[in-house]
């Protein structure tokens, strides 16, 4: 197996944890400070401060301390330049570290004084803010490279140079005092929502992943994937896909994912016939898509909770199906590549029957589904039966299960102790799965806390992390006990060492995310300070001509370009801040109501795709170094594999059923899932130029047409049946009275904004399910209307109502009210589509059979 070369180690360190590893006093500082950071985050997210009445920090204070740790470590762990020393920390870096951390902690240290003079900063406040801003930009450059620093710097420049900008983006500008006060001394800029999410949610999930990895879960997931798939055509590549998806539970980093699984899978892929370029590309595509995998999603899931204003569970629900079908499609692409090249899999350790193989697959899939269902339904009932006593009862059940599963694992330690680098043949699935199945229990705790207890993501991650701490401390002693080994003292100290090491590693993995969310906060702050968000709407509408498809393409290109140098989280913050409101607004003006979560996922997907986009895709460089292939060609090949991921965002913008939205029954859900999977498999065949045999040009066109029809059946159905019945605005009360309690009121409204611009848009307003009658339901949305001649006019908008949130203003006209038309379900489009697909399959198989005969 391949070893991680020094170049790859350097790349991973520079990207994730910092390239410095000094000895002596500096080394101890770089171990102690991350440890303290992790302990602080555990304390802040725990219920203990409120129980003991000590060490309670409000959100702003916690963000300040969080950034102080991140900036200090950015200057001490990351060298300034490639030629800078790695084995010691220069004096100037110590000075920058202390000055930067003091500037970040300034809000915490002088919180009361700053609160007393809010909006009236003193000269020392401004000086500290300027120093902090400059050092934050430098810390960002060190930890993440120049791109995010340049983007943030450009936005800062725009703040001051507004009056001198072209008319289309000009603004009145801001003074140094106003800008620094807004960006550094309030929660509108650096210490805003993004840094708050990093502080409250992201840190503990990254720490949770570091503990899973240190406990051995990462290696366990790789071996399980390999045991189930390694014997198939191109088996190591299929194992790489599954292992990288599972590693998405552990790691939010594409590069770390490539190195963790790639050092094992890439050489095996080459062994069964994959060229180095394609072996590296498969690993890149699988690892970058690891960030699509709930629950961590590269930290973006938690940002979406704050930006979109929906629960964490709703974000995961929306992200699940696209992530699943994307991975299934990548598995199929690997299969097609293996078929084209006539590859085989690796030998099994023991021969098995097809019945036993199917049993393993079905058992694994059923087991994973059962875990979620058992937690929610099988254990959730205890809340109703036992009330407050349910939690300790479940806790005892969890401990019993843990001990029992450790006992099962102890009987298969010969499998668990095999290093992934030493595997040259496929291990038996049964013993491999049993050797570490207890690693799924922390996921059970996480699911329980999120779905049954309804805890916040931060508190849920805290309890899951505490259980991981318990596993790290106890798994070795229990395994030694069950295997009748008496080296308890040795294994106990090894567990403590693993725990401390994971606390340090988790914190060092957070340095880049901490400074990235802070630097991205500069962009968010400039948008709120200058009003460029409104300018962007007009600018994008002008260059796109109001065409929603062109707007989406423009947004995708911006995400790809920025994402080449920005980490996914920062890219998501910047682009979603600028473009998400634009897409929603212009979509509404064109009669397309786009859910905000769909737009945010759209931006996020293209930010991920940038990780393997040449010429800067670092994940491709890491994979190429392991595969000994050309990094540019590896990146291009990886991007061709990821085209399937690129079409998904366009599809779920227009078909929100792919996000598990607007689904009325179990059958509709099943149709949505099955059709989406078939569509992605069909698209994979079209883009790979191979199905049962090599595809012809006209077959590729038909396969793409079938893909489109399966992913967006409504496009064709709308040509036959009108989707809505339009009623005049004066009929709003009558229509509102006919709605079911779960329906929404769909209106077309138009009028002038405060700036004098005339706008027209479609809006969806939820009604109060508790009220009856048309007028009462209209009032529940916050609208107060009056009829003037043949027009329905908005007299007043209730402050904070859903109508105000939708952007409706007083004196606007309600032009029309829409009701869904009664028509056959659009899924009937699937029937002729699948018949066409069947005819293509028959033709392909006929041609493939002829080739075999000849």
């Amino acid at each position: 197996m391949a070893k991680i070369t020094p170049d790859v180690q350097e790349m991973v360190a520079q990207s994730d944890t910092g390239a410095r590893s000094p000895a002596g006093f500096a080394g101890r500082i770089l171990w102690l400070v991350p440890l303290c950071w992790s302990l602080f985050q555990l304390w802040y997210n725990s219920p203990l401060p409120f129980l003991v009445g000590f060490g309670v920090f409000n959100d702003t204070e916690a963000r300040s301390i969080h950034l102080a740790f991140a900036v200090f470590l950015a200057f001490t762990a990351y060298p300034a330049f490639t030629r800078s020393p790695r084995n010691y920390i220069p004096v100037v870096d110590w000075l920058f570290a202390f000055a930067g951390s003091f500037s970040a902690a300034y809000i915490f240290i002088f919180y009361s004084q700053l609160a007393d003079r809010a909006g009236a900063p003193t000269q020392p406040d401004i000086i500290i803010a300027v120093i902090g801003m400059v050092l934050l930009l430098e810390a960002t450059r060190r930890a993440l490279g120049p791109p995010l620093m340049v983007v943030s710097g450009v936005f800062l420049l725009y703040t001051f140079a507004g009056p001198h900008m072209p008319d289309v983006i000009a603004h009145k500008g801001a003074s140094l005092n106003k800008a620094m006060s807004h960006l550094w001394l309030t929660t509108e800029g650096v210490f805003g929502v993004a840094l708050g999410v990093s502080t409250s949610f992201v840190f503990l999930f990254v720490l949770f992943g570091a503990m899973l990895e240190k406990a051995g879960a990462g290696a366990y997931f790789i071996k399980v994937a390999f045991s189930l798939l390694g014997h198939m055509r191109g088996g190591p590549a299929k194992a790489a896909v599954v292992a990288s998806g599972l590693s998405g539970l552990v790691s939010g980093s594409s590069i770390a994912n490539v190195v963790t699984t790639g050092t094992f899978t890439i050489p095996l892929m080459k062994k069964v016939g994959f060229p180095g370029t394609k072996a590296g590309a498969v690993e890149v595509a699988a690892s970058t898509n690891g960030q699509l995998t709930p629950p961590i999603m590269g930290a973006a899931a938690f940002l979406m909770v704050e930006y979109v204003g929906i629960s964490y569970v709703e974000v995961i629900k929306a992200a699940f199906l696209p992530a699943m079908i994307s991975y299934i499609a990548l598995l199929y692409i690997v299969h097609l590549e293996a078929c084209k090249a006539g590859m085989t899999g690796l030998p099994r350790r023991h021969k098995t029957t097809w019945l036993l193989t199917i049993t393993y697959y079905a058992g694994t899939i059923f087991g994973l589904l059962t875990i979620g269902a058992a937690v929610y339904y099988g254990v959730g009932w205890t809340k109703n039966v036992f009330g407050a006593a349910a939690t300790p009862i479940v806790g005892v059940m969890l401990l019993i299960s843990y001990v029992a599963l450790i006992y099962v694992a102890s009987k298969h330690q010969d499998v668990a102790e095999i290093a992934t680098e030493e595997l040259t043949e496929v291990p038996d699935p049964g013993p491999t799965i049993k050797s570490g199945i207890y690693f799924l229990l922390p996921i059970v705790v996480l699911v329980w806390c999120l779905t049954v207890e309804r805890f916040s993501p931060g508190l849920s991650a805290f309890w899951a992390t505490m259980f991981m701490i318990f596993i790290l401390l106890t798994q070795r002693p229990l395994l030694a006990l069950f295997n009748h080994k008496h080296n308890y003292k040795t294994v106990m100290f090894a567990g403590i060492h693993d725990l401390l090491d994971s606390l340090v590693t988790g914190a060092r993995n957070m340095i880049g995310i901490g400074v990235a969310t802070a630097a991205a906060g500069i962009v968010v702050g400039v948008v709120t300070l200058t009003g460029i968000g409104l300018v962007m709407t007009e600018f994008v509408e002008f260059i796109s001509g109001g065409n929603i498809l062109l707007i989406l393409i423009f947004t995708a290109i911006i995400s790809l370009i920025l994402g080449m140098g920005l980490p996914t989280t920062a890219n998501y913050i910047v682009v979603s801040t600028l473009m998400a409101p634009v897409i929603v607004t212009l979509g509404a003006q064109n009669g397309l109501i786009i859910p905000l979560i769909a737009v945010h996922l759209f931006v996020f997907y293209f930010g991920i795709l940038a990780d393997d986009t040449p010429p800067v895709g670092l994940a491709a460089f890491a994979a190429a170094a392991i595969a000994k292939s050309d990094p540019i060609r590896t990146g291009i090949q990886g991007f061709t594999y990821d085209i399937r991921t690129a079409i998904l965002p366009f599809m779920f913008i227009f078909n929100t059923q792919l996000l598990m939205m607007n689904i009325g029954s179990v059958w509709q859900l099943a149709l949505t899932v099955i059709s989406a999977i078939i569509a992605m498999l069909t698209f994979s065949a079209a883009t790979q130029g191979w199905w049962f045999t090599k595809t012809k040009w006209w077959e590729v066109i038909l396969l793409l047409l079938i893909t489109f029809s399966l992913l967006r059946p409504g496009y064709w159905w709308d040509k036959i049946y009108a989707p809505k019945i339009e009623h005049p605005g004066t009929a709003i009360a009558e229509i509102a009275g006919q709605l079911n309690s779960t329906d929404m009121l769909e209106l077309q409204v138009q009028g002038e904004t405060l700036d004098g611009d005339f706008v027209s848009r479609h809006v969806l307003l939820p009604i109060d399910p508790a009220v009856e009658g048309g007028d009462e339901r209209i009032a529940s949305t916050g609208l107060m209307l009056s009829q003037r001649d043949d027009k329905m006019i908005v007299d007043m908008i209730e402050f904070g109502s859903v109508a105000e949130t939708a952007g409706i203003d007083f004196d606007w006209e309600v032009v029309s009210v829409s009701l869904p038309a009664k028509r056959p379900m659009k899924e009937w489009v699937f029937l002729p589509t699948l018949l066409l697909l069947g005819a293509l399959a028959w033709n392909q198989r006929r041609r493939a059979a002829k080739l075999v005969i000849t």
Side-chain angles (χ1 to χ4, degrees), residues 564-841:
M564 289 182 190
L566 269 61
T568 305
T569 306
N571 183 19
Y572 163 71
I573 295 168
V574 172
V575 181
S576 64
T577 299
L578 290 173
M579 298 303 299
V582 176
I583 295 172
V584 172
T585 301
L586 296 183
Q589 291 178 12
N590 286 273
L592 179 64
I593 298 173
I594 306 173
L596 193 56
I597 182 63
V599 180
H600 280 257
L601 282 171
F602 181 94
V603 171
F604 176 57
Y605 265 58
F606 279 98
I608 286 173
L609 285 174
D611 272 359
D612 60 7
T613 305
V616 193
L618 292 180
F621 278 80
I626 298 169
K628 296 181 175 58
S629 61
D630 179 77
I632 301 298
R633 289 180 60 197
T634 302
I636 293 171
Q637 185 68 55
F639 189 76
T640 62
Y641 291 155
D642 268 341
I643 292 175
R644 80 202 186 284
T645 308
I647 70 159
L648 268 175
F650 287 97
M651 291 300 105
F652 62 58
I653 286 286
F654 295 101
N655 180 13
T656 54
Q657 286 182 346
L658 294 173
L659 303 179
M660 305 284 200
M661 302 172 71
N662 304 317
I663 294 178
S665 66
V666 174
W667 291 110
Q668 194 174 24
L669 174 63
L671 277 174
T672 300
V673 173
I674 294 169
S675 63
I677 291 173
I678 295 173
M680 291 308 292
L681 298 182
T682 305
F683 183 76
S684 300
T687 54
Q688 293 306 301
W690 186 279
W691 195 6
F692 297 105
T693 186
K694 187 175 181 180
T695 54
K696 296 183 177 180
W697 66 268
W698 58 269
E699 289 177 317
V700 171
I701 293 173
L702 287 177
L703 287 171
L704 292 175
L705 179 65
I706 290 168
T707 300
F708 178 80
S709 301
L710 290 172
L711 287 175
R712 199 186 167 197
Y715 178 82
W716 305 113
W717 216 232
D718 292 347
K719 303 291 184 185
I720 304 172
Y721 299 98
K724 300 171 187 174
I725 300 174
E726 303 286 345
H727 298 272
T730 51
I732 183 173
E734 179 185 350
I735 300 300
Q738 296 175 16
L739 296 176
N740 296 320
S741 59
T742 56
D743 290 340
M744 301 182 81
L745 190 60
E746 183 174 347
L747 311 175
Q748 182 188 352
V749 294
Q750 64 182 28
E752 284 192 3
T753 65
L754 293 175
D755 297 326
D757 298 324
F758 184 84
V759 297
S760 174
R761 65 179 57 157
H762 282 71
V763 294
L764 275 178
L765 303 179
I767 59 175
D768 186 345
V771 301
E772 298 288 342
D775 292 329
E776 291 79 4
R777 286 179 167 180
I778 294 170
S780 73
T781 67
L783 284 174
M784 296 172 220
L785 308 173
S786 65
Q787 186 170 344
R788 302 175 193 171
D789 299 327
D790 58 346
K791 294 182 178 181
M792 187 63 72
I793 305 298
V794 178
D795 269 347
M796 194 72 67
I797 299 287
E798 185 179 335
F799 180 74
S801 65
V802 293
E804 185 192 45
T805 304
I808 303 175
D809 211 339
F810 70 93
D811 212 29
W812 282 21
E813 178 188 356
V814 179
V815 179
S816 64
V817 189
S818 301
L819 275 178
K822 293 182 178 179
R823 59 178 187 168
M825 64 179 190
K826 63 185 178 183
E827 284 78 9
W828 282 110
V829 170
F830 294 160
L831 191 57
T833 304
L834 292 175
L835 288 173
L836 177 58
L837 183 62
L840 274 177

Side-chain angles (χ1 to χ4, degrees), residues 224-379:
V224 167
F226 194 64
S227 71
L228 292 172
L229 301 168
H231 66 287
M232 296 180 171
R233 283 178 178 264
K238 293 174 181 174
V241 174
V242 174
S244 294
L246 291 172
S247 294
L249 297 171
V250 178
S251 169
S253 165
S254 299
I255 300 175
N257 207 339
V258 165
V259 173
T260 301
T261 57
T263 50
F264 164 60
T265 57
I266 289 175
L268 289 177
M269 282 189 257
K270 293 174 71 175
K271 182 177 179 179
V272 297
F274 277 88
T277 299
K278 289 188 176 181
V282 168
E283 184 58 53
V284 168
S287 295
T288 52
N289 280 196
Q291 292 188 72
L292 300 178
T293 312
I296 296 179
M297 294 169 60
F302 315 110
L303 289 162
M304 289 180 198
V305 169
E306 299 296 321
Y307 288 158
V308 182
I310 61 178
S311 71
Y312 178 75
V313 175
E314 287 296 313
V315 171
I316 299 307
K317 176 184 169 185
F320 174 74
L321 182 56
M324 183 186 74
I325 62 178
S326 180
Y327 265 105
I328 290 173
L330 183 55
L331 275 172
Y332 192 55
I333 287 173
V334 168
H335 177 73
L336 294 175
E337 288 281 17
C339 290
K340 280 192 283 186
M343 297 178 194
T344 59
L346 290 177
R348 280 188 179 277
R349 183 165 297 176
H350 300 105
K351 288 190 175 182
T352 184
T353 64
W354 65 269
L355 183 61
L356 191 58
T357 301
I358 292 175
T359 303
Y360 282 136
Y361 291 145
T364 302
I365 295 170
F366 180 74
L368 292 173
L369 294 175
T370 302
I371 287 173
V375 171
Y376 191 78
Y377 298 106
V379 186

Side-chain angles (χ1 to χ4, degrees), residues 203-213 249-250 296 442-443 446 461 464-465 468:
F203 191 103
L204 282 191
F205 275 87
V206 171
L207 182 60
F208 177 66
M211 288 182 174
L212 271 173
E213 180 66 34
L249 297 171
V250 178
I296 296 179
I443 309 298
L446 189 61
T465 303
M468 273 309 308

